């Protein structure tokens, strides 16, 4: 499985961006797809995740109500819609995938994911 994240950029506080994660290869094997981010001087942190079959979408407390994860069923592209962006959302955003259907307690762990995209920079600044 190969993942490619895109859609990052510079946005003002309160603005919106939609990130895309294009999956290729054996995409039918993906059980869970997650979004992580790593801000300047910070550790990588979980943002949102979704089990592809059987449902289950989860968000970090810091983004719940502002970010929405979704999927285009036609081409296996996953999206992260980010609204009401704040300066603290500034980070490199990564999409990640695993063949496992992760439970919530594991979905937060970056070590649970086997495949990673290259990251896309999101900068929230006036």
């Amino acid at each position: 499985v190969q993942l490619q994240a895109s859609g990052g950029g510079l946005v003002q506080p309160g603005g919106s961006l939609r990130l895309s994660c294009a999956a290729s290869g054996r995409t039918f094997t993906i059980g869970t797809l997650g979004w992580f981010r790593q801000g300047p001087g910070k550790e990588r942190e979980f943002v949102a995740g979704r089990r592809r079959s059987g449902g289950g979408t989860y968000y970090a407390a810091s983004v719940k109500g502002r970010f929405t994860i979704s999927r285009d069923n036609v081409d296996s592209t996953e999206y992260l819609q980010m609204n009401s962006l704040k300066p603290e959302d500034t980070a490199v955003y990564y999409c990640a995938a695993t063949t496992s259907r992760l439970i919530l307690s594991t979905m937060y762990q970056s070590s649970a994911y086997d495949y990673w995209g290259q990251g896309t920079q999101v900068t929230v600044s006036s």
Side-chain angles (χ1 to χ4, degrees), residues 68-116:
T68 304
I69 191 171
S70 62
R71 179 193 178 197
D72 183 325
N73 288 324
V74 174
D75 62 4
S76 294
T77 299
E78 300 271 348
Y79 299 98
L80 182 69
Q81 178 66 43
M82 305 186 297
N83 299 327
S84 302
L85 283 161
K86 305 175 182 179
E88 51 263 43
D89 294 319
T90 294
V92 178
Y93 283 72
Y94 301 88
C95 58
T98 174
T99 56
S100 302
R101 294 181 69 249
L102 300 178
I103 59 175
L104 177 57
S105 61
T106 310
M107 195 178 288
Y108 281 81
Q109 301 172 14
S110 59
S111 59
Y113 295 80
D114 305 306
Y115 309 101
W116 290 83

Side-chain angles (χ1 to χ4, degrees), residues 18-19 21 32-36 46-52 56-59 63 66-72 77-82 94-96 107 113:
R18 188 177 76 160
L19 304 184
C21 178
T32 304
L33 191 134
W35 288 90
F36 289 77
F46 173 81
V47 175
R50 190 177 69 83
R51 286 194 294 266
R52 278 202 160 180
T57 303
Y58 302 99
Y59 299 90
V63 307
R66 300 188 297 123
F67 291 12
T68 304
I69 191 171
S70 62
R71 179 193 178 197
D72 183 325
T77 299
E78 300 271 348
Y79 299 98
L80 182 69
Q81 178 66 43
M82 305 186 297
Y94 301 88
C95 58
M107 195 178 288
Y113 295 80

